[in-house]
Amino acid sequence: MANIASARKRARQAVKNRAHNMGLRSRFRTALKAVLKPLHQGDAQAATEAFKQAVPVIDKTVSKGLIHKNKAARHKSRLNARIRDLAQG
């Protein structure tokens, strides 16, 4: 345990920040799963609606610094490609 007051405060902040980040990361993963579920079931319409709701969540995760912008772009691109493939065939 830290002995210096500033280090003790930093440790308290780290616990609080970690809890906050875990919540945001959970929201991100839930949004992805909400798109994947209708994809696995073959429902393009539901997947499209879920994707439209997931995009802002993914973008907010980037703006908060939890994931890199390229990772977000990769997720969005792959999900959109799977939705398009499902809709076409």
Side-chain angles (χ1 to χ4, degrees):
M1 185 64 196
N3 291 324
I4 298 172
S6 61
R8 284 195 299 263
K9 180 178 179 181
R10 228 3 164 164
R12 287 193 310 267
Q13 288 176 335
V15 170
K16 194 163 70 172
N17 287 336
R18 181 173 183 272
H20 183 253
N21 287 339
M22 285 191 320
L24 293 174
R25 191 173 295 116
S26 175
R27 187 178 303 154
F28 167 73
R29 290 177 179 156
T30 302
L32 293 181
K33 289 175 190 174
V35 179
L36 291 175
K37 186 175 181 180
L39 278 174
H40 290 304
Q41 294 172 347
D43 188 357
Q45 183 67 29
T48 303
E49 290 302 317
F51 180 71
K52 286 179 183 175
Q53 293 186 356
V55 169
V57 174
I58 295 170
D59 291 337
K60 283 180 189 169
T61 308
V62 172
S63 68
K64 303 284 185 187
L66 260 66
I67 63 171
H68 194 272
K69 63 179 181 176
N70 291 354
K71 179 176 179 166
R74 181 173 65 242
H75 277 293
K76 290 189 291 188
S77 175
R78 287 180 182 171
L79 287 173
N80 196 26
R82 288 180 66 176
I83 291 169
R84 279 185 283 128
D85 289 343
L86 184 62
Q88 288 179 356

